[in-house]
Amino acid sequence: MASETVSGQLRENHAEARERVENISTFDSWLDGSRYETDEVVETVDPVVGEPITAIPRCGSAEVDTAVDAAWSAFDEEWSETTPAERSRLMLDWINVLRDHVDELAFLECIDTGKPMSQARGEVEGAIGTLEYYASICQGQSQDGRQVSTSEDLHLYTRKEPYGVVGQITPWNFPIWAAAWKLGPALGTGNATVLKPSAEAPLTTIRIAELSEGIFPDGVLNVVTGTGSEVGGALTEHDQVRKISFTGSVGVGQRVMQAAAENVAPVTLELGGKSPFIVFPDADLEKAVSAVADGIFYSTGEICDAFSRALVHESVHEEFVDRFVEKAESYTLGDPLDEETTMGPLTTESQYETVTEYIAAGESDGATLLTGGGPPDDSDLRDGWFVEPTVFDDVENDMRIAREEIFGPVQTINTFSSYDEAIELANDTEFGLAAGIATERTSVVHNAAADIEAGLVYVNEYGPILPQAPYGGFKESGIGKDLGTEVLDHYQQTKSVYVNLDEPEL
């Protein structure tokens, strides 16, 4: 009877949370500076109890056309004439509004994705910080050109210009942060944007667009909701979208690239990962265990750069495993609205099914399951998409769980005996997004950082991810970069201007 009471309380809490969502907004698409509804809708589902939170418009190619037209009108009539300083001021005005709504945005991110409240708040603050970074640097760097030294009778220089209208597609695992990664540099460099958020977790993206009302010219920032096949496809195939930035799976990224190629539109792709973390024999194991745990159990493992492969030197393997299993079993699974919860559910039912299938494959392929492997014992959580922190040992690098991106709280452990073997194992993957190193030797740090094929290398910890540094992978993990000043080049075209200084003939 007590269990039924607790379960009933959990459902009651989330029913109240859904009412709070309804009181915040209708969560329509945001086109040309106003809300936009459609007759057909898509439900976004609460991952804790498996019940609908709200419904969002199910847009299609017609709405994409409307958004692209609105974006070009805004760009041609007003936005293209703004100076970097003016854009910076408008972005900072928007940021100030967002700061006034941090609690609301953190709540929406929590209920929509299942992230614990502390993580959701940190990501909201990180998103705002990212926007602030680009609002600041766009004044000095968004249109920087250079003078090219040449002959005395020729003045040659370059200038950078925005593409005009860009298309952006973000995933469900980091909705508000991913939106900020794309909106910040795109707006800061003077583009108008049409952004498609994931249909599974769109609430914070819609809300931040609504909170820009009256700040940006109508049409500068558009959010079109709906499915990937209907909205994402129409956006990437649109012949008036001059640039595409996509974050998501490799398979979808390949289709995005093919569609953009039809219009010769450049793309930035941030795709999957299967990131190794190498624990060398001299590593501080307390740091190493914390780093790997943070890198696979944060956000329930639904992170592109997750440290899903721990490569541990044979001399410290046994101690590492003992400590890591203890760490994995210390997480508190529960209602993400509860401040004591340290791991929430997976965000979607389909991802829950995918993760449980991989766990079954790991067992059938002969890996040793050390802990986890299924839903928690707590019957109150059985209606949600919860999976315990899961650890496999005795993993061979040809097993599916060692090669394919699981996107859940599933850790594999391999052993190695030499530096060369560690690097070979680390690089024996189609992916190259991130990697980690645990060692106290500076020489090992720099050699390994050079030898590992990955766009990001973390040393003795997981993260942080800062807007000041470029973020992106090698190999099938994508092309181009988000973040840093490098991303500004991905949202601009370079023009060379030749000024003939000879006396003109009349």
Side-chain angles (χ1 to χ4, degrees):
M1 193 68 177
S3 177
E4 293 178 3
T5 302
V6 174
S7 181
Q9 186 63 55
L10 181 64
R11 288 191 167 277
E12 183 178 330
N13 289 345
H14 278 253
E16 292 175 358
R18 291 193 294 275
E19 288 182 10
R20 182 179 171 189
V21 170
E22 293 176 359
N23 291 331
I24 291 172
S25 171
T26 55
F27 293 99
D28 298 319
S29 289
W30 187 257
L31 275 63
D32 201 14
S34 62
R35 294 171 177 81
Y36 185 97
E37 301 179 45
T38 57
D39 293 334
E40 293 189 56
V41 297
V42 179
E43 289 183 333
T44 178
V45 180
D46 184 339
V48 174
V49 294
E51 296 180 357
I53 301 171
T54 188
I56 60 170
R58 182 175 178 174
C59 296
S61 59
E63 286 75 24
V64 171
D65 288 343
T66 298
V68 172
D69 289 346
W72 272 115
S73 294
F75 180 80
D76 289 337
E77 295 172 9
E78 187 171 358
W79 194 240
S80 63
E81 300 299 320
T82 57
T83 66
E86 289 169 337
R87 293 196 297 273
S88 175
R89 178 181 58 77
L90 294 175
M91 290 178 69
L92 290 171
D93 288 345
W94 181 38
I95 289 161
N96 288 334
V97 175
L98 296 181
R99 289 199 188 282
D100 291 338
H101 291 78
V102 166
D103 290 342
E104 171 191 291
L105 293 168
F107 162 74
L108 291 174
E109 195 83 337
C110 175
I111 195 72
D112 212 15
T113 65
K115 293 177 187 286
M117 183 62 79
S118 60
Q119 294 180 12
R121 174 177 286 276
E123 289 169 24
V124 168
E125 292 173 346
I128 294 173
T130 298
L131 292 172
E132 188 171 39
Y133 173 73
Y134 286 105
S136 299
I137 68 168
C138 76
Q139 293 193 54
Q141 294 180 282
S142 65
Q143 291 180 321
D144 278 357
R146 64 188 181 92
Q147 182 173 331
V148 181
S149 179
T150 180
S151 60
E152 292 183 358
D153 59 354
L154 181 67
H155 175 48
L156 174 58
Y157 66 94
T158 64
R159 54 177 282 123
K160 294 182 178 181
E161 300 176 355
Y163 279 100
V165 173
V166 300
Q168 302 176 309
I169 302 174
T170 54
W172 46 259
N173 59 328
F174 286 90
I176 192 170
W177 216 345
W181 285 21
K182 297 188 186 302
L183 292 174
L187 297 174
T189 51
N191 296 280
T193 181
V194 179
L195 188 149
K196 181 220 169 294
S198 168
E200 278 87 5
L203 301 186
T204 49
T205 305
I206 295 170
R207 187 61 180 145
I208 65 173
E210 292 175 345
L211 292 172
S212 73
E213 184 173 13
I215 296 174
F216 299 119
D218 293 347
V220 166
L221 196 171
N222 303 274
V223 173
V224 186
T225 60
T227 66
S229 59
E230 293 173 326
V231 176
L235 187 59
T236 56
E237 294 168 4
H238 205 290
D239 62 2
Q240 291 302 307
V241 173
R242 301 289 172 78
K243 154 80 184 180
I244 295 288
S245 180
F246 169 82
T247 299
S249 69
V250 174
V252 178
Q254 290 170 334
R255 293 196 292 274
V256 167
M257 194 172 186
Q258 290 167 353
E262 291 295 319
N263 299 311
V264 199
V267 296
T268 298
L269 303 176
E270 197 267 282
L271 307 177
K274 196 66 179 174
S275 301
F277 189 95
I278 305 175
V279 182
F280 287 102
D282 67 312
D284 181 322
L285 290 187
E286 183 176 352
K287 291 180 183 178
V289 166
S290 293
V292 177
D294 289 344
I296 189 61
F297 299 136
Y298 180 85
S299 195
T300 321
E302 296 174 318
I303 39 183
C304 298
D305 60 6
F307 288 151
S308 54
R309 297 189 296 144
L311 312 179
V312 184
H313 191 270
E314 58 188 11
S315 66
V316 294
H317 169 261
E318 184 175 350
E319 183 179 357
F320 176 88
V321 166
D322 290 343
R323 290 189 183 209
F324 191 77
V325 169
E326 182 180 1
K327 181 72 171 178
E329 293 175 347
S330 72
Y331 282 80
T332 301
L333 275 67
D335 184 355
L337 293 170
D338 187 337
E339 295 288 352
E340 295 182 1
T341 295
T342 57
M343 182 182 288
L346 294 159
T347 299
T348 71
E349 185 175 17
S350 62
Q351 191 58 30
Y352 173 84
E353 293 171 352
T354 295
V355 171
T356 54
E357 287 172 6
Y358 272 113
I359 292 171
E363 292 186 277
S364 65
D365 287 345
T368 302
L369 179 64
L370 299 180
T371 189
D377 292 333
D378 188 346
S379 61
D380 300 320
L381 305 180
R382 289 301 175 92
D383 291 332
W385 302 316
F386 290 87
V387 174
E388 294 176 313
T390 299
V391 182
F392 281 104
D393 196 12
D394 304 315
V395 176
E396 299 296 329
N397 217 41
D398 59 354
M399 293 180 179
R400 284 186 63 200
I401 58 171
R403 303 207 66 79
E404 299 176 15
E405 185 175 36
I406 298 173
F407 223 59
V410 181
Q411 181 68 56
T412 67
I413 300 175
N414 301 55
T415 58
F416 66 89
S417 59
S418 68
Y419 175 88
D420 289 341
E421 183 184 5
I423 299 301
E424 182 179 357
L425 279 172
N427 291 338
D428 185 16
T429 173
E430 293 79 12
F431 299 102
L433 181 54
I437 302 165
T439 181
E440 297 298 297
R441 297 172 59 192
T442 303
S443 60
V444 173
V445 168
H446 295 300
N447 282 312
D451 292 337
I452 291 172
E453 298 169 351
L456 309 163
V457 178
Y458 300 111
V459 180
N460 293 326
E461 63 179 1
Y462 172 67
I465 298 173
L466 300 176
Q468 293 91 335
Y471 185 99
F474 295 175
K475 299 188 284 189
E476 289 189 10
S477 288
I479 57 174
K481 298 293 182 182
D482 286 316
L483 302 182
T485 57
E486 285 84 348
V487 72
L488 301 179
D489 289 333
H490 296 303
Y491 285 103
Q492 297 178 104
Q493 306 174 93
T494 301
K495 177 182 290 182
S496 296
V497 180
Y498 289 76
V499 182
N500 193 331
L501 302 180
D502 285 346
E503 189 72 26
E505 295 183 6
L506 300 179

